[in-house]
Amino acid sequence: MKTAKKLLCLLLVMSLCVGLMSFAAAKDAADYTDIDDVDEAALEALYVMTGLGITQGFPEGNFGPKGQFTRAQAAKIIAWLLLGETADKLPLGSTQFSDVQADHYASGYITYCVANGIIVGYPDGTFGPDNLVTTAQFCVMLLRALGYGLNGEYTGDAWAMNAYIDAYDLGIFTLDVNFTEGATREQVVVYAFNALLSYTKTEIVKTTFYKVTAGPAFSTTNTTVSGQDKYTVEVMNVIAGVIAENTSFTSRQAAVDAVVKAITDAKAGATPAISQPTADAVFMAHYAVDEFTTEKEEAVDSLAKTVFGLELDDDPDDLGRPSIVWLYKGAPIFKGKGSDPVETFEKSFTQSDLYKVINKEGDIDATWNAASGQTPETATLTSLRTGTAPANAAGNIGYGVITEIYKVGLNYKAVVIEPSFAKVADVKATAATATKGAFTKYTVGSQDGDVFTSHVDEAFEPDTAALSGTIAKGDFVLYYKGAKVLYIEAVETIEGAISSVTSGGVITLGGNATRVAKAGSYTATVSKDSKSFYVDSFGYILAEVSPAAPPIPIVLVLKQYNRSELIDGAVVTKYFADVVDLSGTVIQAPLKAALASTGVIGEVLEYDIDGDGFYSFATISTSKAILNTGTITTITRGDTSLLTAGPVQRVGNSTLFVVADYKGSDATGTVTKYNGVNAVPSFGSSTSPLAATKAVSITDPPLTAALVADVVFVYDNVTPAAISRYVFSLGTWNLDEDGYAIDVVIGGEKDTIVAKTTTQRDALIGTTNANKLYASIDTSTSPWTITPASGGITGTGAVVSNSGGILFNGATYVEDIEDDAVVYTFNIPAAGPTTYGTSDAADLEPVTLGAKDAIYYVTAPGGGGIVAIYIVIDNRP
């Protein structure tokens, strides 16, 4: 799994490469055929040195970053560093070395370097032009070119160490350089680039400044100035608060003015007001302003400035991050990252987290990169730390959203990279023409961008898409848009079973803790089955990888129900759904859990069957079939224009009609199939009202309006009812980082509901709310939607029992009850925790209810008998 550091590095390289391709320069390192083999740390040096013409690579078009420079090539670099383009005008000619002929390509460079004491030959009179230059030798060449070591410092036994120390002090090398080994070509370029930026001349700079020094203390009594009381200790403290001892100023008058202002501010409103001369005199009597002069040796010139006129500009990259741009003759030859971020978050962060970085409150300049494109905003620190985007930027900061905090001068800049997750809609290659190069267009979400593979005019054909990994049509990817470029990143997949999910959103997948990414849309559930998941580079879950579906995995859901069994002494509830497949066959489908109460019954859905034989359902994907979701109130035999909305508009004699007649909420019904529009009977409001009619056409290639529906499902007059899993509040809670975790019992199992506020908490545990039964609690609304238990009975002072399959409240008949109906009992003792348990109706003994006790029951849809009983026994005094 990739790390955050790797992802951020990837984003930088993507942004950098895109930016470079838009530069029009005579020499461009991007043209090297092996540029991808160059280490990231050497890219800036190679681009600048190539752009200046100092480095040109080999005639074959490659640079050879892992090879080594020869001594002749090193002489060429030194000559170019000192002379610039005029180095190529050095004449060829004979040299003092026996192995360098007059027509040698580097004879002019070698002669120049030797004449200026930069390079020396070997004692045998040879130069060794084809010998590989060592790190130490090249170090000495660079130092002498900068004006160092001309007095023999780099001779004798300690020459290498002296050179290494000077090179480190000038920033040419770092401490991790192995000085005893040969340098690779990319390392030589880095060292030469550092030397190019090093200062070659220094001068003495004098600076004059003034310091305020405290003198005798002010008197607090019997002193007057112009008839007024002299300043008290209080005024003295005002002055001291503004002018601390030894505070420095750039001029004497600035020092005097600062204290005078403190005095006049303290006496504001006094009559007469103190005058400037008087205040100045008072100040000078008790403070001294001393003049100081310092001398400092400061560097003023570099080869980059004096030889090439190289300029450094500051320009944000495509993602809005601080970057650097090197300009040569007014044209950019390199654009790369500036300073590293002072902090990087890959999830939401707190006020404390942000204050540790910036140590202030106020505004912070922010750039938001999301699927909709770059949106520069001024975001307050509050909005960043709480995860709220600026006004017109979408979404909150969450898991998998990268926020980089940069120090820019005295201020800070936040760069937010917020990806979206979607399937690549299209990848279309376009051949080159006479006016435009060949390119591939990538479309994902509502965005698209081009990647060119050839150019007619590179300056006008920049890539507007940048890819990470192999991207193909139909792949799921992360994407976001910078100022000009659409970034598309391939995602990874992992496998494992989800063993736990906490109320705080922590998911244990394959033994590792993770969460759902901000870009994801996955609702995690515990399952012993191992599944595949799409994850981002931080390991946060984006979605479950859909398993390969059968050719036509579509059914009409008729009803759902459950059955309770006593297994190993425990009541086990099993869930089922009756569905109709495309052939009109009714199937009893086992489920892992009850279906949603809405949006399922009477719907045509895709299904999947896991390894244990359990069915799951999902909305039909248009890549597999087209679902007409409009309600059709009339079906007329022989009328081929049955469907008037959606992409499928016709039926015919090849269309199968499956009619499921489950009026009301009846537990049973009939399913009839008719082959062809001339065989199906007419349906209409005068005969049999239709609750919903769905048409499905399964075809490949994609559907068009002219296609005929393969199947029409008719589900007649359905009003499904759901069985609520009632919630019982135990009245206890724990406070953790996610909020108040309130203890409840749902379906006989202890669970928690997290409240963010005390108001939400007290809605379930207040004095009148604890140890109480609720039909449902919807925490997605504000305030919560809490539905009291209803539809059953409340008994006090009565005997409740199951006799012969009938529930009695005292002597009153209540409802038929099956032996396997689940009974939940909550016992609230006078001291100690509430206990709870489950059994079935067959074991229900007579229960005598007190004044504070209650019983609730739930019936099946359509009055199909009692399916659950909740008995609350409150035996507190």
Side-chain angles (χ1 to χ4, degrees), residues 601-634:
I601 306 300
E603 294 294 322
V604 181
L605 301 172
E606 286 185 26
Y607 71 88
D608 185 34
I609 306 174
D610 66 18
D612 294 326
F614 290 105
Y615 279 65
S616 60
F617 302 102
T619 303
I620 292 178
S621 167
T622 55
S623 65
K624 300 172 184 174
I626 295 296
L627 173 66
N628 181 285
T629 58
T631 298
I632 301 171
T633 57
T634 302

Side-chain angles (χ1 to χ4, degrees), residues 340-371:
D340 291 329
V342 295
E343 186 61 75
T344 299
F345 303 100
E346 89 280 359
K347 58 184 178 182
S348 58
F349 46 88
T350 66
Q351 171 180 332
S352 176
D353 294 332
L354 191 59
Y355 279 8
K356 289 177 182 177
V357 178
I358 65 172
N359 195 30
K360 74 170 187 175
E361 175 71 87
D363 287 345
I364 181 170
D365 184 46
T367 297
W368 224 275
N369 298 279

Side-chain angles (χ1 to χ4, degrees), residues 819-831:
D819 284 345
D820 60 357
V822 184
V823 178
Y824 303 98
T825 304
F826 306 93
N827 188 7
I828 308 170

